[in-house]
Amino acid sequence: MRRIILFIAASLDGYIARPSGEVDWLFTDQDYGYTEFLASVDTVLMGRKTYEQVLTFGEFPYQEKQSYVFSHNPGFDASPYAETVRTDIKAFVETLCQSNGKDIWLLGGAALIYPFLKHELLDELILSVHPILLGSGIPLFSETDLTTPLQCLASHCYDSGLVQMKYQLLKRGG
């Protein structure tokens, strides 16, 4: 069965972007495992806001991947780069995980991450913490009543100060 992996960066104070959505503070001096990770996935899942932010970077970077964008906005269409998903996230993802293929990248953002946590659809979290305090912005995790246990699989501290942690998400009790 295919795994869902959240590979994402955050500031030390837990933000994935500035309030405006800008990610100009992210380190780009090294690869930080991105190329290897990208080769391990063939499908990308993202929310509408993340998709729109990705489009501002220039050429769509995931053209070689099957991409899906989740949106409740009836006027939104992710064509030509991605397929828009308006159905139940849990049912869609469970079906997707049963199909053949490599692992699946949950790209973000926080509004989309929550239902993946709620329905225990996320298998791994690879978090790159940048040594910067933004003070405000878009949080990695929206406020939630969920308690999700994690098991640390690996961690690496780079010379730049970036710390990358890899966690397996464990099932909640019950």
Side-chain angles (χ1 to χ4, degrees), residues 3 8 16 21-22 46 81 93 98 124 136 151 155:
R3 298 176 311 145
I8 199 162
I16 58 175
E22 291 295 317
M46 63 192 102
Y81 302 114
V93 170
Q98 295 297 327
E124 279 186 14
S136 65
Q151 178 182 359
S155 65

Side-chain angles (χ1 to χ4, degrees), residues 20 79 88 93 98 146 163:
S20 64
S79 298
D88 175 64
V93 170
Q98 295 297 327
L146 300 175
V163 178

Side-chain angles (χ1 to χ4, degrees), residues 136-164:
S136 65
I138 300 169
L140 171 58
F141 300 108
S142 54
E143 290 189 35
T144 175
D145 58 350
L146 300 175
T147 299
T148 305
L150 308 170
Q151 178 182 359
C152 185
L153 301 176
S155 65
H156 183 80
C157 183
Y158 291 88
D159 291 340
S160 64
L162 182 141
V163 178
Q164 190 171 76

Side-chain angles (χ1 to χ4, degrees), residues 123-140:
D123 298 294
E124 279 186 14
L125 164 62
I126 300 171
L127 176 61
S128 296
V129 178
H130 290 248
I132 187 170
L133 300 172
L134 294 179
S136 65
I138 300 169
L140 171 58

